[in-house]
Amino acid sequence: MFAAAALLLTLPLYPIVMIAIWLEDGRPFFFRHKRETLGGREFNCIKFRSMRKDAEQIKQQLAEQNQADGPQFFMDDDPRLTRVGRFIRRTYIDELPQFWNVLMGDMSVVGPRPSPFSENQFCPPWREARLSVKPGITGLWQVRRTRRQGLDFQEWIRYDIEYVQKASWLLDVRIILETIALVARRAFRP
C-alpha cells in the first residue's frame, strides 16, 4: 500500500524527469540492472538513468580513482553523471521507479540495498543474511553510513546484518522517517 501511494504521489514527476533526461542525453529514461532479492533470485532493479550511456565503459578507465572500499564504485565528482543525474541522485528522485519493484514483489520499501551477484560474493555470511530478506529502497546503511574512507564496506555489512537481526515494523517506520529527513536535507542544501 505504501509503494502504491508513493507511486501515485510521485507519478507527476515522471514526465518531467523523462523530458530532462531526454533533452540532455536522449533515451533510455530508465536504467535496469540485475540485482538479487530474497534467496538470491535475480530481478531487474529499475531507476531513472542518471549516468551517460557509456558509463560502464568509462568506469573501467576510472577504476584507480574509486574512493569506495569493498565491491562498490564511488567517486565524489563522478564524471559519468549527467547534470540531470546529479540532481536526481542528490534528491533521490532516481530511486522512485523502484516502487514498481516493490509492487512486483522483488523489493520492499525498507531492507538492505539491492546488490548484484558480483557484490554479494565479497562476504558470504553477510550475503546469506542480506538475502534472507527482500532488499529495500531505503535501509539502515542508506540513512546512517558515514562514507568514511576505508570503513564504508564494513558499515554496509554491519547495518545490513543489524537490520536483518532487528527487523520490525517499528524499525521500518524509523528508517522511513530518517529517509524523509535525509532527502529533505539533501534536496534543500545549496
Side-chain angles (χ1 to χ4, degrees):
M1 287 176 38
F2 185 93
L7 275 172
L8 284 174
L9 288 171
T10 61
L11 212 50
L13 290 174
Y14 278 56
I16 296 165
V17 174
M18 291 165 73
I19 290 169
I21 291 169
W22 181 68
L23 288 173
E24 183 174 4
D25 197 43
R27 296 169 77 158
F29 307 120
F30 299 99
F31 173 74
R32 289 173 176 80
H33 196 254
K34 291 277 186 205
R35 303 291 170 100
E36 290 188 316
T37 186
L38 190 65
R41 182 179 57 79
E42 284 191 330
F43 72 101
N44 281 316
C45 186
I46 307 167
K47 292 183 172 191
F48 280 117
R49 184 171 63 86
S50 60
M51 293 194 174
R52 297 168 32 167
K53 295 175 197 172
D54 59 353
E56 282 304 310
Q57 292 82 12
I58 296 171
K59 182 179 175 181
Q60 306 301 322
Q61 300 164 8
L62 299 172
E64 290 182 15
Q65 297 176 53
N66 186 8
Q67 295 172 278
D69 59 333
Q72 272 195 307
F73 183 88
F74 172 77
M75 289 178 66
D76 281 324
D77 268 330
D78 195 328
R80 300 173 304 154
L81 287 171
T82 62
R83 287 188 316 267
V84 171
R86 285 186 199 291
F87 176 76
I88 64 175
R89 281 239 181 135
R90 190 179 83 228
T91 56
Y92 298 97
I93 291 171
D94 66 318
E95 309 278 350
L96 294 178
Q98 290 181 10
F99 284 111
W100 291 107
N101 289 119
V102 174
L103 288 179
M104 298 305 293
D106 295 319
M107 290 179 66
S108 180
V109 174
V110 180
R113 176 187 167 273
S115 298
F117 175 83
S118 60
E119 287 182 8
N120 286 333
Q121 303 315 302
F122 272 70
C123 181
W126 166 67
R127 175 191 66 218
E128 298 309 314
R130 69 193 324 268
L131 295 179
S132 69
V133 297
K134 287 183 183 177
I137 296 172
T138 188
L140 275 177
W141 181 65
Q142 291 92 320
V143 297
R144 301 218 178 130
R145 71 181 176 203
T146 63
R147 281 265 188 228
R148 288 188 299 186
Q149 197 151 6
L151 293 177
D152 202 37
F153 188 49
Q154 286 75 24
E155 285 184 348
W156 186 7
I157 291 171
R158 185 179 97 212
Y159 287 129
D160 280 356
I161 291 174
E162 181 180 335
Y163 177 79
V164 170
Q165 291 173 341
K166 296 180 178 179
S168 70
W169 68 270
L170 192 57
L171 178 60
D172 285 1
V173 169
R174 265 190 27 225
I175 292 169
I176 290 169
L177 293 175
E178 286 182 43
T179 301
I180 293 168
L182 178 68
V183 168
R185 278 195 309 271
R186 289 190 68 171
F188 297 110
R189 82 172 181 214

